[in-house]
Amino acid sequence: RPRPRPPRRDLETSDRSVTAAMARPSKPRKAQQQPRRSASGRGLLAGVVLAAVAALLGLRGRLAGVAERPSLVRTTCSRRDYKPAVPGCSPTGDACGRLVLDGFASAEELAGLRAIAARGMALGGGDGGPTILDLQSGALSWRDKFIDVWAAFNASGTPPFTTRDVAVYADVVRRIRSLAESTFGVSGLHLTAPTFFSRHSGDRPPKTEHDEYWHVHVDTLQYGSFTYTALLYLADGDVDFSGGRLAFVDDRWERPLERVVPRPGKLVLFSSGHEHPHHVERVESGERLALTVAFTCDPEAALHDFLSRAVPEPEAEGEGG
């Protein structure tokens, strides 16, 4: 059996319930004559009705913006990663895992994050499908390279982001970090680079190998400092685009173990090591929009003020001295 191909630099993490776990479809059964319902059959029917009501109530909660309780899938941590270990923070043993949480971000938060991505990406755009916007470093895809989005604001005469504009971004990152620490039972996580927006356009073929975001990769190999990776989806995989599912694969980097269909507000959170090789399936049409947020246990790799380049909000007339 050939060895897995080495990872390439990907653009989503390079771009990423448990909605679509891989399962073989069950074979349809032949129609049979319906037997007369017994008392046990009536009890079973009542149970089905109660389950349907419970599911309906859960759906109503999701439509109202109430996040569901996350379901954590535990995995054994890779021994190759998370070194040097930071006590109380670095995952060890069976403490690694992944979860998918619907409804993490509210409609208001989603609107604010989409507005940031649209406004920044309007100043650039990659030729080959992916467009990346990193407000901390300023990196913005433009044709086949990167430019500085803050310099692009100045050059175009467009007002840059203010602290008020990006406040929703900072708040969402804080909430994701809090969820990561409580879910995995750790403390002392730091935001790390890169943390960025990604847009994948299905109508643009790749121009360079870096545009081929669909290759399997491991985040600790790709980015070094990552301990936990979070992906927040800002577009709908059944409405805004087709393809583009996040797929976790086995340790041979071959067989899909789990596929996740992006939904607005859905959060995927997982330990970043070799226990979680994954990739984004190729976007076939439309535009896939997501936010990648990464955390580390290494204080030297921490980002302490990742939105420091945003300008202060101007004072309204009559305020101040």
Side-chain angles (χ1 to χ4, degrees), residues 11-285:
L11 288 174
E12 181 176 36
T13 50
S14 115
D15 166 320
R16 273 154 233 22
S17 281
V18 179
T19 343
M22 286 296 294
R24 295 180 180 178
S26 57
K27 297 180 179 180
R29 297 181 178 179
K30 295 181 179 180
Q32 297 180 355
Q33 184 177 358
Q34 294 294 326
R36 185 176 180 181
R37 291 193 180 97
S38 61
S40 60
R42 290 193 297 271
L44 177 61
L45 178 61
V48 170
V49 171
L50 288 174
V53 171
L56 178 60
L57 290 175
L59 175 62
R60 289 178 62 185
R62 289 194 296 274
L63 292 177
V66 179
E68 294 180 329
R69 185 181 183 85
S71 177
L72 178 64
V73 177
R74 287 287 184 185
T75 58
T76 301
C77 301
S78 169
R79 295 182 179 180
R80 290 180 281 181
D81 303 299
Y82 317 120
K83 297 177 182 179
V86 178
C89 184
S90 299
T92 59
D94 295 328
C96 289
R98 61 184 182 269
L99 66 82
V100 177
L101 176 61
D102 288 307
F104 175 81
S106 68
E108 183 178 2
E109 289 171 328
L110 290 172
L113 293 172
R114 289 190 192 111
I116 293 171
R119 186 172 161 192
M121 291 179 180
L123 298 173
D127 279 344
T131 294
I132 302 302
L133 173 63
D134 181 345
L135 294 187
Q136 184 272 327
S137 69
L140 170 64
S141 301
W142 184 72
R143 297 182 179 177
D144 61 350
K145 60 184 179 181
F146 288 96
I147 60 174
D148 189 308
V149 68
W150 301 100
F153 276 126
N154 292 334
S156 66
T158 305
F161 292 116
T162 67
T163 51
R164 179 180 296 178
D165 294 331
V166 298
V168 62
Y169 189 3
D171 185 60
V172 166
V173 167
R174 282 192 294 268
R175 294 206 299 114
I176 295 175
R177 178 171 54 193
S178 177
L179 177 64
E181 290 183 334
S182 63
T183 298
F184 293 102
V186 299
S187 60
L189 287 179
H190 308 279
L191 185 70
T192 193
T195 288
F196 56 92
F197 293 90
S198 60
R199 182 183 69 202
H200 292 79
S201 302
D203 61 348
R204 296 185 180 183
K207 300 296 184 182
T208 71
E209 68 173 9
H210 300 306
D211 295 330
E212 297 179 3
Y213 54 84
W214 49 84
H215 297 292
V216 176
H217 63 281
V218 171
D219 285 352
T220 51
L221 284 180
Q222 193 124 318
Y223 300 107
S225 63
F226 283 29
T227 303
Y228 294 101
T229 304
L231 302 169
L232 179 62
Y233 294 113
L234 309 178
D236 195 316
D238 285 336
V239 177
D240 302 307
F241 62 94
S242 60
R245 294 177 299 184
L246 172 67
F248 293 101
V249 299
D250 64 10
D251 57 7
R252 289 181 173 270
W253 295 24
E254 295 173 346
R255 183 174 62 89
L257 300 177
E258 194 169 0
R259 287 189 174 102
V260 179
V261 178
R263 299 275 186 259
K266 176 180 288 185
L267 181 74
V268 183
L269 178 64
F270 56 95
S271 51
S272 307
H274 281 78
E275 67 278 357
H276 283 129
H278 61 281
H279 69 111
V280 174
E281 295 176 344
R282 191 166 182 171
V283 175
E284 299 168 0
S285 64

